[in-house]
């Protein structure tokens, strides 16, 4: 790879344009990219700009894309290195970690807008999830790929509140766990507080009503 090309910047640019670029990659190429990103994550993330894992991931992207797109990425990464310095590692707030989350975890909570929301939700008390989980429970994936179930969902130990399972169904937590977690952990005009704060206070009908009202919008 051209020594002027910063592979970290290149992978950040791919993350920023992932919805479009992913459609240009064959399934086998996506599998190869996933393998390279798994190695990169296992080695501790982005690593040095010219490090083996990050450079191999960048090569996998270039090999997977049409020549025109690959050339555009090369030039963009080279320009970023010239104007922002060799230490630059992001493009428009997207970096290598964002691409790892998109490709390896299917985690959409990346970039400068959704990333802070992800971090806020992951900062709430949570329990690790090592294997299969009840699909009615919210499970969130961290930057390192670890899976966490927000602790408010549990009445005691590993026993979930029955109303949580009902509300999560109404909120569509199976397909949008982040949106469901945000609903539970954010102040709500209907309930007057965070919905999670009402659990165990004999206010289950209010929780169900608020969730149903959201679905009717």
């Amino acid at each position: 790879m051209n020594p002027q090309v910063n592979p970290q910047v290149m992978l950040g640019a791919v993350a920023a344009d992932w919805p479009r670029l992913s459609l240009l990659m064959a399934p086998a190429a996506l599998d190869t990219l996933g393998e390279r990103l798994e190695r990169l994550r296992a080695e501790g993330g982005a690593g040095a700009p010219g490090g083996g894992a990050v450079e191999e991931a960048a090569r996998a992207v270039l090999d997977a894309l049409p020549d025109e797109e690959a050339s555009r990425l090369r030039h963009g990464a080279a320009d970023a290195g010239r104007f922002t310095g060799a230490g630059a590692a992001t493009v428009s707030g997207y970096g290598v970690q964002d691409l790892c989350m998109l490709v390896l975890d299917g985690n959409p909570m990346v970039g400068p807008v959704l990333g802070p929301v992800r971090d806020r939700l992951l900062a709430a008390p949570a329990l690790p999830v090592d294997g299969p989980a009840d699909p009615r429970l919210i499970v969130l994936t961290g930057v390192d790929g670890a899976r966490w179930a927000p602790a408010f969902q549990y009445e005691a130990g590993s026993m979930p509140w029955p109303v949580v399972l009902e509300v999560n169904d109404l909120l569509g937590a199976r397909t949008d766990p982040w949106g469901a977690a945000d609903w539970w952990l954010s102040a709500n005009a209907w309930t007057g507080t965070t919905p999670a704060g009402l659990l165990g206070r004999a206010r289950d009908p209010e929780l169900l009503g608020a969730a149903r009202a959201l679905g009717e919008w």
Side-chain angles (χ1 to χ4, degrees):
M1 182 176 294
N2 187 329
Q4 293 183 323
V5 174
N6 185 325
Q8 288 178 295
V9 170
M10 180 182 295
L11 295 178
V14 174
D17 199 14
W18 183 246
R20 184 182 70 88
L21 292 180
S22 62
L23 298 177
L24 304 178
M25 300 183 185
L30 288 171
D31 289 343
T32 298
L33 176 59
E35 292 170 2
R36 304 284 173 83
L37 292 176
E38 284 277 14
R39 180 190 161 197
L40 191 156
R41 177 182 275 177
E43 292 186 1
V54 70
E55 187 160 316
E56 286 184 11
R59 287 186 183 280
V61 168
L62 295 176
D63 290 343
L65 289 172
D67 291 344
E68 181 180 348
E69 293 290 346
S71 178
R72 181 182 64 80
L73 283 173
R74 284 194 187 93
H75 289 306
D79 289 343
R82 283 197 296 271
F83 290 111
T84 62
T90 62
V91 171
S92 301
Y94 290 83
V96 176
Q97 286 186 329
D98 295 297
L99 186 61
C100 288
M101 285 184 278
L102 287 166
V103 177
L104 301 179
D105 310 318
N107 186 348
M109 304 299 287
V110 299
V113 176
L114 297 180
V117 177
R118 176 198 70 228
D119 293 342
R120 172 173 60 83
L121 296 176
L122 287 172
L127 303 177
V129 178
D130 296 323
D134 188 323
R136 296 171 296 174
L137 288 172
I138 296 167
V139 177
L140 307 178
T141 306
V143 173
D144 60 357
R147 299 165 67 232
W148 299 90
F152 72 80
Q153 299 179 102
Y154 298 97
E155 179 176 3
S158 60
M159 180 66 68
W161 295 97
V163 70
V164 164
L165 301 181
E166 292 183 65
V167 169
N168 283 350
D169 265 342
L170 291 170
L171 297 176
R174 298 181 190 219
T175 56
D176 183 17
W178 296 97
D182 192 43
W183 184 87
W184 278 107
L185 294 170
S186 299
N188 186 292
W190 182 289
T191 62
T193 184
T194 62
L198 299 183
L199 292 168
R201 295 170 56 184
R203 296 177 69 176
D204 291 2
E206 290 179 60
L207 290 169
L208 289 165
R212 290 192 182 102
L214 184 66
E216 292 170 359
W217 273 50

